[in-house]
Amino acid sequence: MKQTPNETEVQSGKAEEEVAEQKAERAQKASVPAAAPDVEKGDNSTPPIHVTELGHTPKEEEAEAERLRKADEDEAEQKRVEAVNRMMAEEQERLRKEKNELVENVLNASKSGKDAYYKVLGVEQNASDVDIKKAYRKKALQLHPDKDRYATPNADEAFKAVAHAYDVLKDPEQREAYDQMRNNPPEMASNAPSSSSSAGANHTFDTIPNATSITVHSSDVRFAHLNGTKGSIVSYERSTDLYSVKLDNGGIVMSKPTALFQNIIVCLRAFMAQELGVFLVTLSSYWKDAGSYQARYADCGRTRMTTLRPQQFIVPNGTVVRLEGLRSGQSVEYNGKYGTIVDWKERFDGGGSDTSYYEVQLSQEISVRVKMTNVCM
């Protein structure tokens, strides 16, 4: 059948449209990116690797960022630790200086003459008993040997000066007598609240100083009636090894040193001070068989007694003691000898056992280190 011109034009137009559609379809397919490989269908083609401008993969860049962050944190922590250590060192140095100044001030006050006791405690002359007690407790705590982490020179002497000043001012009768004598500097100079001169007064290390308070404690039946009698040392005769003792009842006796017990004031170690609520006690007697001491102290106006082991208190420097119980390796030849305590050191071994010791000067040339249980008053 022969086609008309109009039909021919229509068919030609459709062909052109189909060609155009095919071109468009091919262009669209060309613009679509290649699909990721399909592992399930066995497509083994290698996926494209995205690289950053620095030439690192995303994982490498992330790891590097984490490393830098950790390095910044470590540096900041190190600076913080250094700052804390520096602050602690500065604080320790400040406390050390304060301790040195406190010791120096107390010792200077102890030599200040008629008002020495009040100046040592840092109170006014009209201070109340409560104020005096508060001042004493504060300074005693600051100067306590167990609290001295810096081995401050002369700290023990300052502590004894504080203790002696309080011992006088806390007692109404002694304080009144002291106040009456305060206008007599020469007399007060010999009663300064420092006990450091007691050892050197006789220029020997094995002689109990004059005026030391004692209690007769003899094992000789001939003197049993005097046991428990108190008195004070008047003099010592080296040629006979006898002390002249003035008893409180007015009598005078001559005695061997082994029959005399010194009623000295000792400082309780921290754990005992906390238990009893006091820092200082006065030794009143010694039980040799039990290796313990009877001590008295004031508590709320009452005199109380307690039993102490040698490891529970510290004998002040300058005290003359007798060495006992020394065994092999501990200079046994010095058993029964007298000497002056010149130092005390607190020490514990690796197992926590107390190995604290005294250094005792027996003569100008000889000094020994002994356990706290090896000294007797």
Side-chain angles (χ1 to χ4, degrees):
M1 180 182 294
K2 188 176 180 180
Q3 294 180 341
T4 65
N6 289 337
E7 290 177 347
T8 301
E9 291 176 3
V10 170
Q11 290 179 355
S12 177
K14 287 182 179 180
E16 291 177 356
E17 289 179 1
E18 289 177 358
V19 171
E21 289 177 358
Q22 290 176 358
K23 288 182 178 181
E25 187 177 348
R26 285 197 298 269
Q28 184 177 1
K29 288 182 179 180
S31 63
V32 176
D38 193 341
V39 178
E40 294 182 357
K41 293 182 178 181
D43 190 345
N44 295 325
S45 59
T46 303
I49 299 177
H50 298 285
V51 179
T52 65
E53 294 180 358
L54 297 177
H56 296 157
T57 64
K59 287 186 177 179
E60 290 175 339
E61 194 169 72
E62 183 179 349
E64 178 66 12
E66 177 64 18
R67 186 188 67 79
L68 293 175
R69 184 187 65 79
K70 185 67 167 59
D72 289 342
E73 288 182 353
D74 291 345
E75 183 179 359
E77 176 64 14
Q78 183 178 356
K79 289 182 178 179
R80 187 190 69 80
V81 171
E82 290 175 353
V84 171
N85 289 339
R86 185 167 56 254
M87 290 174 60
M88 291 178 64
E90 291 173 354
E91 178 66 10
Q92 290 299 315
E93 184 60 25
R94 183 186 67 81
L95 293 175
R96 187 190 303 276
K97 288 182 179 179
E98 285 186 358
K99 186 66 172 286
N100 284 326
E101 290 176 0
L102 175 62
V103 169
E104 184 178 355
N105 290 340
V106 168
L107 293 180
N108 287 339
S110 72
K111 303 170 185 176
S112 60
K114 62 180 183 179
D115 299 326
Y117 292 155
Y118 292 103
K119 290 181 179 179
V120 164
L121 295 181
V123 297
E124 298 295 332
Q125 298 170 19
N126 60 352
S128 66
D129 292 343
V130 174
D131 291 336
I132 289 174
K133 187 173 184 178
K134 284 183 178 179
Y136 161 70
R137 284 184 174 274
K138 180 179 179 180
K139 288 200 172 182
L141 184 61
Q142 292 173 324
L143 294 167
H144 194 285
D146 279 3
K147 302 294 183 181
D148 188 7
R149 296 179 294 175
Y150 313 109
T152 310
N154 301 317
D156 56 339
E157 295 301 325
F159 180 81
K160 287 184 288 184
V162 169
H164 186 63
Y166 177 66
D167 198 44
V168 171
L169 296 183
K170 73 177 181 179
D171 184 277
E173 293 183 2
Q174 290 190 57
R175 183 179 180 181
E176 182 179 0
Y178 172 70
D179 287 340
Q180 291 176 354
M181 294 188 297
R182 279 193 298 114
N183 293 322
N184 188 354
E187 186 173 353
M188 287 310 303
S190 63
N191 291 284
S194 172
S195 57
S196 60
S197 61
S198 59
N202 298 313
H203 302 287
T204 60
F205 296 98
D206 61 351
T207 305
I208 302 174
N210 293 345
T212 299
S213 175
I214 59 90
T215 299
V216 178
H217 190 75
S218 177
S219 58
D220 192 327
V221 293
R222 294 174 299 174
F223 301 101
H225 64 287
L226 293 177
N227 280 341
T229 304
K230 297 186 180 301
S232 59
I233 300 292
V234 175
S235 63
Y236 173 67
E237 180 55 51
R238 184 170 294 277
S239 60
T240 59
D241 192 28
L242 290 175
Y243 284 93
S244 176
V245 179
K246 180 179 180 181
L247 301 177
D248 287 353
N249 59 18
I252 298 288
V253 296
M254 304 299 291
S255 172
K256 288 286 187 180
T258 53
L260 304 176
F261 179 81
Q262 299 175 70
N263 303 126
I264 62 173
I265 298 174
V266 297
C267 170
L268 294 179
R269 297 181 72 176
F271 57 92
M272 279 304 297
Q274 184 175 6
E275 180 179 331
L276 296 181
V278 294
F279 289 107
L280 303 173
V281 298
T282 302
L283 300 182
S284 55
S285 62
Y286 175 59
W287 296 340
K288 185 174 182 179
D289 293 339
S292 59
Y293 293 82
Q294 278 286 100
R296 65 179 184 273
Y297 62 97
D299 181 24
C300 299
R302 296 183 179 182
T303 299
R304 300 188 182 277
M305 303 295 294
T306 188
T307 301
L308 297 172
R309 296 282 184 182
Q311 303 94 326
Q312 295 174 323
F313 60 85
I314 304 166
V315 180
N317 289 355
T319 303
V320 175
V321 296
R322 184 174 68 254
L323 301 184
E324 290 185 347
L326 295 173
R327 300 178 181 177
S328 58
Q330 292 183 294
S331 305
V332 292
E333 66 270 24
Y334 298 128
N335 274 320
K337 299 292 185 181
Y338 284 80
T340 298
I341 291 179
V342 294
D343 197 9
W344 173 78
K345 294 294 184 184
E346 185 174 45
R347 188 174 64 179
F348 296 89
D349 62 19
S353 298
D354 190 351
T355 58
S356 304
Y357 64 87
Y358 292 108
E359 183 173 349
V360 180
Q361 195 80 30
L362 301 176
S363 67
Q364 198 69 39
E365 300 80 17
I366 302 174
S367 67
V368 293
R369 291 181 178 180
V370 298
K371 298 178 180 178
M372 299 183 74
T373 53
N374 293 135
V375 302
C376 179
M377 273 57 71

